[in-house]
Amino acid sequence: MPTTTLNLNGRPTPVQSDPSTPLLWVLRDELGLCGSKFGCGIAACGACTVHVDGQATRSCVLPIAAVGAQAVTTIEAVGEQGPAAAAGAAVRAAWIAHDVAQCGYCQSGQIMGATALLAANPQPSDAEIDAAMAGNVCRCGTYPRIRAAIHAAAKTLASQKKGA
């Protein structure tokens, strides 16, 4: 099996999977990073969302050969490293403060989506949140708490920026 080296969570990570293997399966099965979930397998639900060079990306349909040298950040490292670290930390704190998770299955994808949104747009409107998060499905219907947590994280980021 060929060796591919991923730029994963801030460090080079060699993997032995076939280059056509979706990133999600490499993360979960080969590397034991099980925070990203398998939902639909067709990039429609967002449970598998990771960041690839800061962009929210569905890992269930992305072959590792397509990742190349791009930086991959998973839920295990969001808020700790990378260009979206401050947004990720604010989102994670807001998720806890707003008790967003219900069953929790979609939450890693939701957090990755929200972090990418705030990194690109630090003060999103309700409509912008709804549009950005539309590809992340929550079967428990926690959307009002997700929106509230994103607004709270945005407020935290704004206050941090003022204090800097």
Side-chain angles (χ1 to χ4, degrees):
M1 197 66 66
T3 298
T4 301
T5 300
L6 297 174
N7 179 1
L8 178 65
N9 293 336
R11 60 178 191 272
T13 305
V15 296
Q16 298 294 317
S17 295
D18 183 282
S20 66
T21 305
L23 177 60
L24 177 64
W25 298 123
V26 173
L27 295 173
R28 292 183 59 83
D29 294 348
E30 187 172 338
L31 301 174
L33 297 173
C34 296
S36 302
K37 306 295 187 211
F38 176 76
C40 64
I42 57 171
C45 75
C48 66
T49 303
V50 299
H51 292 172
V52 176
D53 273 352
Q55 300 297 310
T57 303
R58 307 302 188 243
S59 65
C60 70
V61 295
L62 181 66
I64 59 169
V67 175
Q70 298 177 93
V72 175
T73 304
T74 66
I75 189 69
E76 287 85 357
V78 73
E80 297 174 3
Q81 60 89 34
V91 168
R92 287 173 45 169
W95 241 246
I96 293 168
H98 287 268
D99 200 19
V100 173
Q102 195 160 323
C103 86
Y105 197 81
C106 70
Q107 295 304 306
S108 62
Q110 300 280 0
I111 289 170
M112 299 305 285
T115 299
L117 168 64
L118 290 177
N121 179 0
Q123 296 297 318
S125 67
D126 284 347
E128 290 168 328
I129 291 171
D130 292 348
M133 301 301 290
N136 290 82
V137 177
C138 175
R139 64 183 178 192
C140 301
T142 62
Y143 301 111
R145 292 193 305 226
I146 289 170
R147 185 190 293 163
I150 291 171
H151 281 302
K155 192 177 285 187
T156 297
L157 290 170
S159 68
Q160 290 172 349
K161 191 173 182 177
K162 282 182 184 175

